[in-house]
Amino acid sequence: MKKGLKKFVIVCGVVAGIGALCTVAGFAMGGAKSIDKVSDKYSWFNAGTEHMKSWEDDSEITSIKIDGDYDVRIQKGERDSVKVCYAENLDPDIFNDEGRLSIVEPEADSAISIDFSSRDTAPYVEITCADGKALNVVDVDVENGDVSITGINAGIMNIDSEFGQIALDGVKFDRGEIGSESGDIVCTGVVSRGVEIDSECGDCTLSGTFAGKTDVEIESGNLQIDTDLAPELYNVKASAESGTMKIGKTSLDYYDGVFADGYGPNKLMMHSECGDITVKFGSKDSTADIKAVVAGNQAAQVLKYYESMYDADYNDSHNDDHDNDHDDDHYEHEFD
């Protein structure tokens, strides 16, 4: 070993040893408590498991809005209930306004988050809805977390996760939007009367009955759709900038251009910038049995509430008419 390199290694060892001694001495002199105080003061710093809290409620639920950094699990069960597990220094704004459940996490003090905790459980929201219930709106927007929804029916279902997996199983909705920046989207046994899906990085696997307009955009990842409906019921349009396409019995490469076929009443539109597209059709020749989850006057009211969810004063939104007659007409048209 060269003399200069040897000195460098010795210096590094001495510095590391001093750092270890300082760490031990700091904890022995109450350093752990000091770290806890920092965690109490700043929301971007988390020191340990003792700062996790939980909130539970069993009030009736008719709509759900979740916005924050959570893992989310929504499922059917015997009765309505909700449990929220969260960091004490990020106390969410939670309320249930006549069944309209809202869980909104406050913004941290800094865009940088430092977590020294050793907890096994990340913040999460777990909601159970009574079996057979139809919700008006399910709106979930999480930054870092997985979303799992099982056996839930809703008029409007919007799910967005920046970094996490999205899994829907046995779900039925009239109108939906699903988005992910990084993570797979898996929908199994879904019944949809119209859905838009946007995935930036991740595979998208869909199976079920897709009526109305199904529009899927993927930047990087493979798309596979297994629909119960026969190909005669679809108007299909598909394109891939890099990858192969297999639509029913037809196979194409990206350089073959846009695939367009069919004159059915339901639209199936797909585009992939980098990935393969595969579509398998079933034999079901009618959508007459696919009834709306929410219909008629209630559908118009649901849209009005959904639009109001994004008002600045959400707590008083149910008292604000918003003069959205044109939106009501649009929503009723979606459920025709």
Side-chain angles (χ1 to χ4, degrees):
M1 183 181 294
K2 295 183 178 180
K3 187 175 182 181
L5 180 59
K6 185 176 181 180
K7 287 184 178 180
F8 176 75
V9 172
I10 293 173
V11 171
C12 289
V14 171
V15 172
I18 294 173
L21 288 174
C22 290
T23 300
V24 173
F27 274 91
M29 297 173 65
K33 294 180 180 180
S34 298
I35 291 178
D36 289 343
K37 291 180 180 179
V38 174
S39 182
D40 290 336
K41 187 175 182 180
Y42 300 105
S43 61
W44 49 267
F45 186 93
N46 189 12
T49 58
E50 66 271 18
H51 294 286
M52 298 301 292
K53 295 176 64 177
S54 64
W55 179 90
E56 299 184 45
D57 186 55
D58 58 0
S59 301
E60 181 185 11
I61 300 173
T62 59
S63 290
I64 298 171
K65 175 181 174 63
I66 301 172
D67 188 348
D69 195 357
Y70 305 104
D71 285 331
V72 176
R73 298 185 291 272
I74 305 176
Q75 60 204 358
K76 64 181 181 180
E78 295 182 359
R79 58 184 178 85
D80 292 353
S81 65
V82 57
K83 181 177 181 180
V84 184
C85 182
Y86 57 93
E88 186 178 33
N89 53 356
L90 287 175
D91 195 356
D93 181 14
I94 307 174
F95 69 88
N96 188 322
D97 177 17
E98 299 181 352
R100 301 170 179 177
L101 175 65
S102 174
I103 303 168
V104 179
E105 183 183 57
E107 293 185 4
D109 294 339
S110 172
I112 300 175
S113 178
I114 302 176
D115 192 342
F116 287 98
S117 67
S118 59
R119 63 172 182 260
D120 295 326
T121 303
Y124 68 86
V125 176
E126 186 171 84
I127 297 174
T128 300
C129 295
D131 193 9
K133 167 177 286 192
L135 297 174
N136 292 326
V137 178
V138 175
D139 188 87
V140 178
D141 187 355
V142 296
E143 294 181 4
N144 297 287
D146 298 333
V147 179
S148 173
I149 302 179
T150 305
I152 299 297
N153 298 338
I156 296 176
M157 183 169 292
N158 289 350
I159 312 298
D160 188 83
S161 175
E162 290 189 18
F163 301 98
Q165 313 295 319
I166 297 176
L168 307 184
D169 186 8
V171 170
K172 180 179 180 180
F173 54 84
D174 298 323
R175 172 174 153 181
E177 294 182 8
I178 303 172
S180 173
E181 290 189 13
S182 179
D184 295 337
I185 298 174
V186 179
C187 299
T188 307
V190 168
V191 178
S192 162
R193 301 183 76 232
V195 62
E196 294 183 11
I197 299 176
D198 189 353
S199 174
E200 292 190 14
C201 182
D203 294 334
C204 184
T205 306
L206 314 176
S207 68
T209 304
F210 299 94
K213 180 181 178 181
T214 302
D215 190 346
V216 185
E217 292 256 357
I218 295 183
E219 289 191 15
S220 178
N222 297 321
L223 169 62
Q224 178 167 335
I225 300 179
D226 294 353
T227 176
D228 297 332
L229 300 182
E232 294 79 13
L233 294 181
Y234 282 109
N235 179 345
V236 182
K237 184 176 181 180
S239 61
E241 294 186 17
S242 176
T244 62
M245 294 184 289
K246 184 173 177 59
I247 314 299
K249 297 179 180 179
T250 304
S251 298
L252 307 96
D253 284 311
Y254 68 92
Y255 50 75
D256 290 322
V258 176
F259 173 87
D261 187 44
Y263 298 94
N266 307 287
K267 293 184 178 181
L268 188 56
M269 306 177 69
M270 302 157 288
H271 177 73
S272 174
E273 292 189 11
C274 182
D276 299 333
I277 296 177
T278 304
V279 179
K280 296 180 180 179
F281 296 101
S283 57
K284 189 174 181 179
D285 60 2
S286 174
T287 59
D289 61 332
I290 305 176
K291 304 299 182 182
V293 176
V294 179
N297 292 332
Q298 185 182 359
Q301 295 172 6
V302 168
L303 178 67
K304 185 173 290 186
Y305 162 62
Y306 175 70
E307 298 292 344
S308 72
M309 290 171 71
Y310 297 94
D311 286 352
D313 191 4
Y314 174 57
N315 289 316
D316 296 328
S317 62
H318 62 285
N319 294 322
D320 190 356
D321 289 335
H322 293 291
D323 193 22
N324 275 344
D325 293 338
H326 61 287
D327 285 333
D328 297 348
D329 294 339
H330 173 70
Y331 191 84
E332 289 176 353
H333 174 71
E334 289 285 338
F335 286 86
D336 288 342

